[in-house]
């Protein structure tokens, strides 16, 4: 009906396309669940499929251990499709429209992502990203099989890990396996998935790991996760949650990396730890994932820009006549992570506007859940977990 109306795609068309695409695809994906699970309501089915396609990983289903393998595979496939959908949108389509986080990253950051076009055409870019995504998924599934999983579980968990989706084939999630080897494999692939997939493609194309050395986001993410893991491990060990530091380190490393990268797989009920620990873990989910990854939240690059801007404003309070663009200096490690280039004020203002909208949405939705009768911890952490696509929160929506 509309074929004769031809014009160039505009930004608002892109926003509408993305929003309606996610809503209608989630609605269509409910059909298998509604057919196979007669007691399931339309609301629950839509929640499950939206959670899957948006790679959130929150679930309303129980009895996953005995669920038909076809349904479990369907849930995990939704995670996998949704993960690549997010990457293709952010890396290939939104920059063409002049919107999205990768536009900011490509415009202002140094290194291969800015200087080298992935491919000449969008279709080739999407195909290249799918290739890398599939390759890493196969590597993850094989590694999980070698670590002790069965083939079916290995494929399903590879799907949810690469998408940072968080769905599992068991109610106890990864805690069902109680295997340090499986947890170690998943940690590695969760970190890979939280990095910019454009970097992975360039590394494959150049047959070199040099591109990762210049990745300012990955450096910041890995540093923060390493420091946080050691700190939280010491904290819960000193509070007697686990008998040894190594056991505390094992469980902290897996659950902290999983939630911080917005994956959502769990091996322990971390909500039972002293409140400081799970709140730190949830806070990390707000900003650790990199631009162009399958993770959610504010993204690390925006966080670095904000941190540098805050430093500049504090400096201007003391030296009001100084001219201080947001750029790196040899004296400032944080700004070196941003990459040593001036970030235009319009980019800084765009990031500030995004963050204001982000936290405004969190506050509004928290009050809506409080009005429904939820307690504060459950309401607040549910909103944080879902807006970051992390999955489990605390309280009534905790990992247990």
């Amino acid at each position: 009906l509309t074929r004769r109306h031809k014009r160039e795609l505009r930004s608002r068309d892109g926003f509408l396309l993305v929003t309606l695409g996610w809503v209608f695809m989630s609605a269509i994906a409910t059909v298998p669940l509604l057919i196979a699970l007669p007691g399931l309501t339309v609301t629950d089915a839509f929640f499950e499929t939206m959670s899957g396609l948006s790679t959130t990983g929150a679930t309303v289903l129980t009895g996953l251990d005995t669920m038909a393998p076809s349904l479990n595979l369907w849930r995990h496939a939704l995670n996998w499709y949704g993960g690549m959908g997010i990457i293709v949108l952010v890396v290939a389509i939104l920059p063409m429209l002049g919107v999205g986080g990768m536009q900011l990253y490509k415009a202002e950051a140094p290194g291969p992502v800015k200087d080298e076009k992935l491919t000449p055409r969008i279709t080739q870019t999407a195909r290249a990203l799918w290739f890398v995504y599939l390759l890493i998924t196969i590597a993850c599934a094989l590694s999980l099989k070698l670590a002790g999983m069965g083939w079916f579980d290995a494929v399903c968990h590879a799907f949810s890990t690469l998408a940072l989706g968080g769905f599992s084939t068991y109610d106890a999630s990864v805690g069902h396996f109680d295997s340090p080897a499986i947890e170690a494999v998943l940690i590695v692939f969760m970190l890979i998935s939280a990095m910019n997939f454009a970097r992975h493609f360039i590394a494959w194309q150049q047959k070199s790991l040099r591109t990762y050395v210049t990745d300012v986001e990955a450096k910041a993410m890995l540093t923060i996760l390493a420091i946080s893991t050691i700190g939280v491990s010491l904290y819960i060990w000193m509070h007697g949650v686990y008998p040894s530091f190594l056991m505390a380190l094992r469980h902290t490393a897996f659950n902290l990396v999983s939630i911080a990268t917005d994956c959502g797989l769990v091996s322990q009920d971390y909500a039972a730890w002293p409140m400081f620990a799970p709140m730190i873990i949830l806070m990390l989910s707000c900003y650790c994932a990199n631009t162009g990854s399958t993770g959610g939240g504010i993204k690390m690059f925006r966080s670095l820009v904000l941190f540098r801007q805050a430093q500049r404003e504090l400096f201007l309070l003391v030296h009001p006549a100084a001219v201080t663009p947001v750029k790196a200096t040899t004296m400032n490690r944080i700004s070196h992570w941003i990459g040593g280039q001036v970030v235009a004020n319009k980019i800084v203002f765009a990031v500030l506007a995004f963050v204001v909208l982000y936290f405004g949405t969190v506050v509004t939705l928290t009050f809506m859940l409080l009005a429904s009768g939820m307690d504060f911890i459950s309401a607040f952490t549910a909103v944080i977990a879902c807006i970051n696509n992390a999955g489990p929160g605390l309280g009534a929506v905790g990992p247990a």
Side-chain angles (χ1 to χ4, degrees):
L1 291 174
T2 60
R3 280 182 68 184
R4 66 182 183 277
H5 300 289
K6 289 187 68 176
R7 62 173 172 79
E8 289 297 314
L9 205 62
R10 293 193 295 240
S11 296
R12 65 179 184 180
D13 302 320
F15 289 126
L16 187 64
L17 184 67
V18 171
T19 304
L20 293 180
W22 242 257
V23 170
F24 286 130
M25 287 169 68
S26 298
I28 293 166
T30 63
V31 174
L33 297 181
L34 291 171
I35 291 172
L37 302 170
L40 196 66
T41 65
V42 174
T43 306
D44 283 352
F46 186 80
F47 180 94
E48 192 75 14
T49 54
M50 178 61 82
S51 178
L53 272 174
S54 63
T55 72
T56 301
T59 181
V60 293
L61 300 180
T62 55
L64 300 176
D65 308 50
T66 55
M67 184 177 285
S70 56
L71 287 183
N72 260 325
L73 185 61
W74 179 245
R75 294 169 64 249
H76 288 79
L78 291 177
N79 262 178
W80 197 63
Y81 297 144
M84 178 43 64
I86 291 168
I87 294 170
V88 170
L89 273 171
V90 172
V91 177
I93 297 172
L94 294 188
M96 178 192 72
L97 298 173
V99 295
M102 274 302 292
Q103 185 74 7
L104 178 153
Y105 192 84
K106 282 188 173 185
E108 303 302 334
V113 174
K114 174 190 172 185
D115 298 329
E116 300 176 22
K117 212 171 183 181
L118 295 185
T119 59
R121 301 177 66 84
I122 286 178
T123 51
Q124 293 175 329
T125 302
R127 195 179 299 122
L129 290 168
W130 264 112
F131 174 73
V132 171
Y133 190 65
L134 178 62
L135 205 65
I136 301 174
T137 303
I138 292 170
C140 182
L142 290 173
S143 301
L144 289 172
K145 173 62 179 172
L146 291 173
M149 273 191 187
W151 275 116
F152 180 76
D153 288 337
V155 169
C156 285
H157 284 85
F159 280 179
S160 62
T161 301
L162 262 292
L164 296 177
F167 276 169
S168 178
T169 50
Y170 298 96
D171 285 342
S173 193
V174 176
H176 169 86
F177 301 100
D178 193 22
S179 166
I182 288 173
E183 291 165 19
V185 168
L186 289 172
I187 286 173
V188 170
F189 282 96
M190 284 188 288
L191 291 173
I192 290 172
S193 302
M195 293 180 188
N196 192 327
F197 269 77
R199 294 282 183 187
H200 299 324
F201 173 71
I202 291 166
W204 171 265
Q205 199 176 43
Q206 296 180 344
K207 302 295 185 289
S208 168
L209 299 178
R210 188 178 57 190
T211 183
Y212 296 111
V213 177
T214 60
D215 193 338
V216 292
E217 284 190 290
K219 287 179 184 177
M221 178 185 73
L222 294 174
T223 302
I224 290 169
L225 289 179
I227 294 170
S228 301
T229 298
I230 294 170
V232 173
S233 300
L234 282 168
Y235 180 80
I236 63 172
W237 173 55
M238 289 169 65
H239 278 73
V241 177
Y242 296 105
S244 70
F245 174 72
L246 284 179
M247 186 178 289
L249 183 64
R250 169 196 162 186
H251 293 307
T252 298
F254 180 81
N255 291 283
L256 185 145
V257 169
S258 178
I259 301 302
T261 58
D262 301 315
C263 181
L265 293 170
V266 295
S267 64
Q268 296 281 297
D269 181 15
Y270 57 79
W273 297 351
M275 184 55 74
F276 171 81
M279 289 303 286
I280 281 287
I281 290 173
L282 275 174
M283 182 200 72
L284 292 172
S285 75
C286 295
Y287 61 84
C288 273
N290 289 186
T291 309
S293 72
T294 54
I298 295 170
K299 300 296 175 69
M300 181 57 73
F301 192 78
R302 289 192 186 98
S303 303
L304 294 176
V305 170
L306 277 176
F307 193 90
R308 184 69 184 97
Q309 174 66 7
Q311 286 183 316
R312 180 171 71 165
E313 293 299 328
L314 290 173
F315 179 80
L316 287 173
L317 287 175
V318 182
H319 306 281
V323 178
T324 57
V326 179
K327 66 176 183 179
T329 65
T330 54
M331 301 293 291
N332 192 314
R333 192 179 178 194
I334 292 293
S335 55
H336 175 67
W337 284 344
I338 295 177
Q341 295 212 350
V342 174
V343 178
N345 277 335
K346 67 176 183 178
I347 297 293
V348 176
F349 294 149
V351 170
L352 288 170
F354 176 89
V355 172
V356 168
L357 283 172
Y358 172 88
F359 284 109
T361 305
V362 170
V363 171
T364 303
L365 293 178
T366 299
F367 274 107
M368 289 174 69
L369 287 182
L370 288 173
S372 76
M374 236 180 185
D375 65 279
F376 176 75
I377 291 294
S378 299
F380 176 67
T381 59
V383 172
I384 289 291
C386 287
I387 202 168
N388 293 334
N389 302 133
L394 301 174
V397 294

